[in-house]
Amino acid sequence: NVHPFASFLTFECRLIALDLSFNSIGSNGAKILADSLCANFSVRSLALNNCDLQDDGGVHVADVLIKNDTLQTLLVKCNGFSVLSSLAFSQAIQLNSTLLSLEIHENRFI
């Protein structure tokens, strides 16, 4: 359940790194988390490896890159992303000027 983290991220959070890897967040959890991160301007590093985000979750996380200008590192390996997520991240990267590192390998971009 990501609700506690999502609530925490929206209220004057000063957290700079968040690693939720290997938690079953899923696409619904990714939406909740993404909504909070769009309003958070302290988190600079986010790890969501092996969180079963799937394509819908990938699209939500890619949206964070468009709306959040403080995130510098994003790790989203092994989440079952395919072409839909790939396109969302590709578009988001073009609009984001602060991301320095994106690890998105070990997904199924076929």
Side-chain angles (χ1 to χ4, degrees):
N1 187 354
V2 296
H3 285 285
F5 289 107
S7 297
F8 174 73
L9 290 171
T10 56
F11 295 104
E12 297 184 33
C13 172
R14 299 209 185 273
L15 189 69
I16 59 170
L18 180 60
D19 187 345
L20 296 174
S21 296
F22 299 96
N23 285 286
S24 284
I25 293 173
S27 59
N28 291 334
K31 166 101 173 86
I32 294 165
L33 192 59
D35 288 346
S36 294
L37 286 166
C38 286
N40 175 287
F41 299 103
S42 67
V43 175
R44 296 191 185 338
S45 177
L46 176 63
L48 296 171
N49 298 316
N50 284 303
C51 290
D52 193 33
L53 302 180
Q54 301 301 318
D55 271 330
D56 288 342
V59 170
H60 297 308
V61 173
D63 192 46
V64 172
L65 296 178
I66 295 170
K67 297 176 181 173
N68 180 305
D69 63 357
T70 56
L71 195 61
Q72 297 175 344
T73 302
L74 179 60
L75 312 174
V76 286
K77 299 182 293 187
C78 302
N79 275 296
F81 297 157
S82 68
V83 174
L84 181 64
S85 293
S86 175
L87 291 172
F89 277 104
S90 174
Q91 292 170 348
I93 289 168
Q94 292 176 26
L95 299 172
N96 181 291
S97 62
T98 58
L99 191 69
L100 302 173
S101 176
L102 173 64
E103 291 189 16
I104 195 169
H105 54 280
E106 298 181 43
N107 285 286
R108 53 187 167 95
F109 298 121
I110 299 172

